[in-house]
Amino acid sequence: MKRSVYLQPSAIFWDRSVPRAIDEADVPEWKGLPLAGSRLSFAALDVLTRASPVTKRRTVVLGDAFSGDWGRDALSAADILQELSQPRGRVAGLSLDRPRIMGIVNVTPDSFSDGGQFATTEAAIAQGLRLVEEGADILDIGGESTRPGSDAVPLDEELRRVIPVVEGLRAKTDAVISVDTRKSEVMRQAAAAGADILNDVSAFTYDPEALEVAAETGLPICIMHALGDPKTMNDNPKYDDVVLDVFDYLESRIQACVAAGIPKAKLIADPGIGFGKHLHHNVAVMAGLALYHGLGVPILLGASRKKMIGQLCNVDAAKDRVPGSLACAIAGAAAGVQIIRVHDVAETKQAIEVWRACQAGTEKGLD
């Protein structure tokens, strides 16, 4: 079901004042609301409504938003506004009061960026430990490439690639371990091996048993938007409005997860940069990142080294897209994204720490 109104926080700033409650009365000077309970606040809203041929957009300051007449959209707008401001709980023990870095460990021969580089168990474990040393809060272990045009990997092969790496890392680090898979049996065995998060690019739609297994594990899960199967998803993707269509899809999958017995507090949403999206779709989603806080769950951004960067900057080799990846990471942090999935952990950590200090105007109290 498509919503009639969507709210995207704008005029986002680092709030150095005492946070204000959404229902606080008699505020003499309105300074904004906290964005998902973070140090960022927002002072205005872009109000989006579906229309043909283009979505209608108007900007209102928060004071006008509270005093304005929303008509039949009042309840929907109030619900989204509450979600935009509500603090996010911990995920796998991690607080989300600052951007968390998810380091990518591809145990595959064919990933678009580093295929084959960490394809052995020993190399993947060493890479994971290296990323933790560089500052990764989460390690995302994947045994099946889902790049555009990729082929599915048989279950036995994916298990052979992934489970020994999860077991090896669990024995050597307390870092949060995520497993990037579409298959319920991989989810089940990964959870038993010590994984902390399940991350499914199909939003738990590829495997009919995936949602049930995810609920049984009790682990937090990440649902991602993708249009179709990796083999064909980028052939001819079409949207009415990509930013709003992605929101609707993720909202529907959140509802499906809750109905399957997974608490909303254990959900993470990823708008899926590059998955069933051409360049103009990807940059539109990047510009609309703050809107997805209206889902009421933490947001994960995975734009590291992706084709979008190469298209924008004429850079063919994925390994040469690190500067563009850092720009995406900072854009995500500025939009309040809670988890940033990257190949280049040390560089991303440095960029985000400098950005946070520059926003805060102090180097203190940012750990």
Side-chain angles (χ1 to χ4, degrees):
M1 178 179 176
K2 295 181 178 180
R3 284 183 171 270
S4 56
V5 63
Y6 305 77
L7 303 180
Q8 179 174 336
S10 59
I12 298 173
F13 61 99
W14 187 283
D15 195 346
R16 304 178 193 179
S17 64
V18 177
R20 301 184 184 279
I22 193 169
D23 57 353
E24 185 174 347
D26 301 323
V27 178
E29 181 182 358
W30 190 265
K31 293 186 177 179
L33 286 174
L35 182 59
S38 71
R39 291 294 301 273
L40 295 173
S41 287
F42 60 100
L45 292 166
D46 287 350
V47 181
L48 292 81
T49 52
R50 290 184 179 273
S52 182
V54 295
T55 297
K56 292 182 179 179
R57 180 188 296 262
R58 61 187 176 93
T59 301
V60 297
V61 297
L62 281 182
D64 290 344
F66 289 124
S67 62
D69 182 7
W70 289 88
R72 63 183 180 181
D73 294 326
L75 184 59
S76 177
D79 287 345
I80 295 181
L81 188 58
Q82 183 70 40
E83 298 285 26
L84 291 174
S85 185
Q86 189 74 19
R88 305 298 184 247
R90 289 176 175 266
V91 170
L94 286 176
S95 65
L96 300 178
D97 54 350
R98 60 182 175 88
R100 295 293 183 171
I101 298 175
M102 174 184 276
I104 300 168
V105 182
N106 289 319
V107 196
T108 59
D110 57 346
S111 291
F112 81 94
S113 177
D114 52 9
Q117 194 171 353
F118 311 113
T120 68
T121 298
E122 294 75 16
I125 292 172
Q127 173 66 359
L129 295 175
R130 187 179 304 114
L131 295 182
V132 172
E133 189 70 22
E134 292 179 356
D137 301 291
I138 307 169
L139 296 175
D140 195 38
I141 316 302
E144 178 185 50
S145 175
T146 49
R147 77 190 192 286
S150 60
D151 294 314
V153 172
L155 172 61
D156 288 350
E157 176 63 16
E158 188 174 346
L159 288 169
R160 185 193 67 78
R161 294 175 182 179
V162 170
I163 302 305
V165 176
V166 175
E167 292 173 337
L169 285 169
R170 185 74 297 153
K172 295 175 181 293
T173 179
D174 292 328
V176 173
I177 296 176
S178 167
V179 171
D180 180 358
T181 183
R182 301 182 294 169
K183 300 182 180 72
S184 61
E185 185 59 27
V186 178
M187 296 175 191
R188 182 183 287 110
Q189 293 195 30
D196 303 292
I197 297 173
L198 303 176
N199 180 16
D200 185 350
V201 299
S202 78
F204 297 81
T205 63
Y206 175 81
D207 186 331
E209 298 181 8
L211 266 185
E212 181 181 352
V213 170
E216 290 173 355
T217 68
L219 297 180
I221 68 171
C222 182
I223 55 175
M224 194 193 78
H225 174 273
L227 194 65
D229 186 85
K231 187 71 175 177
T232 59
M233 63 186 176
N234 276 13
D235 288 353
N236 188 29
K238 293 183 179 180
Y239 300 91
D240 292 332
D241 182 304
V242 65
V243 177
L244 304 188
D245 290 354
V246 169
F247 184 102
D248 290 340
Y249 176 82
L250 291 172
E251 186 172 48
S252 71
R253 294 310 300 158
I254 288 171
Q255 292 167 351
C257 290
V258 171
I262 303 172
K264 190 172 181 178
K266 291 191 174 183
L267 301 181
I268 304 162
D270 177 353
I273 298 297
F275 282 78
K277 301 173 186 70
H278 286 166
L279 177 59
H280 62 289
H281 299 133
N282 288 318
V283 294
V285 170
M286 288 294 299
L289 284 174
L291 179 138
Y292 300 113
H293 292 296
L295 295 166
V297 301
I299 304 304
L300 183 151
L301 173 65
S304 179
R305 298 189 182 184
K306 287 193 172 176
K307 184 178 179 181
M308 172 187 73
I309 300 167
Q311 292 172 316
L312 288 170
C313 304
N314 195 28
V315 180
D316 291 333
K319 64 181 178 61
D320 295 331
R321 298 172 187 166
V322 179
S325 300
L326 298 181
C328 289
I330 295 302
V337 167
Q338 290 90 354
I339 303 172
I340 300 174
R341 183 179 184 272
V342 301
H343 298 83
D344 307 288
V345 169
E347 294 85 348
T348 304
K349 181 177 176 63
Q350 185 180 112
I352 289 176
E353 287 186 352
V354 171
W355 172 81
R356 294 183 76 224
C358 291
Q359 292 295 304
T362 178
E363 76 286 8
K364 300 176 181 178
L366 297 178
D367 294 335

